[in-house]
Amino acid sequence: MNHISVDEDRPLKPALKRGWRRKCPNCGTGPMLKGYLKVRDHCSVCKQELHHHRADDGPAYLTILIVGHLMAPLLHIAFVKWRPEPLILFTVFAVGCVALSLYLLPRLKGCVVAFQWARRMHGF
């Protein structure tokens, strides 16, 4: 097992990439999440402790921020350019917002936990 000293640097960029993939920020191999959003107590591969990392509302806030900033201009463009029926417009954008939110939420949670790990924050 690779032992890392407390003073050794934990690079942020690789940790965030691993977090986006929902993998352990330390080894990049073991799964970080158990189920959809539950953070594992420790990595099954490198035994890195993860239980103390808490993302709280950060990933949900970031998800809303990103989805809102992507979908609002698209909604405006679609309405102005094609003038679809309101029910069709609502249905397409409701499904799009839900799908994008479900895709982003666990990945952003992985990034928040990876950020905490890289900065040795040990949760909040």
Side-chain angles (χ1 to χ4, degrees), residues 75 78-79 82-93:
L75 178 65
F79 180 75
W82 295 295
R83 298 279 181 182
E85 291 294 320
L87 190 56
I88 292 172
L89 189 67
F90 165 76
T91 303
V92 169
F93 277 90

Side-chain angles (χ1 to χ4, degrees), residues 22-35:
R22 298 163 294 159
K23 299 293 182 185
C24 171
N26 186 39
C27 69
T29 307
M32 179 193 303
L33 302 178
K34 176 174 43 176

Side-chain angles (χ1 to χ4, degrees), residues 8-109:
E8 198 169 325
D9 187 34
R10 290 180 175 175
L12 180 62
K13 192 172 182 180
L16 290 175
K17 285 181 181 180
R18 292 171 181 162
W20 179 262
R21 292 188 346 248
R22 298 163 294 159
K23 299 293 182 185
C24 171
N26 186 39
C27 69
T29 307
M32 179 193 303
L33 302 178
K34 176 174 43 176
Y36 184 63
L37 288 176
K38 175 87 168 108
V39 177
R40 291 180 180 274
D41 290 337
H42 63 276
C43 175
S44 58
V45 176
C46 71
K47 306 301 181 210
Q48 174 70 46
E49 290 185 359
L50 300 169
H51 62 85
H52 51 276
H53 292 290
R54 295 185 43 193
D56 293 336
D57 292 336
Y61 174 79
L62 292 172
T63 298
I64 293 168
L65 186 73
I66 292 168
V67 171
H69 279 83
L70 287 175
M71 296 305 260
L74 291 176
L75 178 65
H76 176 72
I77 291 167
F79 180 75
V80 170
K81 189 169 184 174
W82 295 295
R83 298 279 181 182
E85 291 294 320
L87 190 56
I88 292 172
L89 189 67
F90 165 76
T91 303
V92 169
F93 277 90
V95 170
C97 286
V98 169
L100 187 57
S101 296
L102 290 173
Y103 174 79
L104 287 175
L105 191 57
R107 285 157 179 80
L108 291 172
K109 182 162 188 169

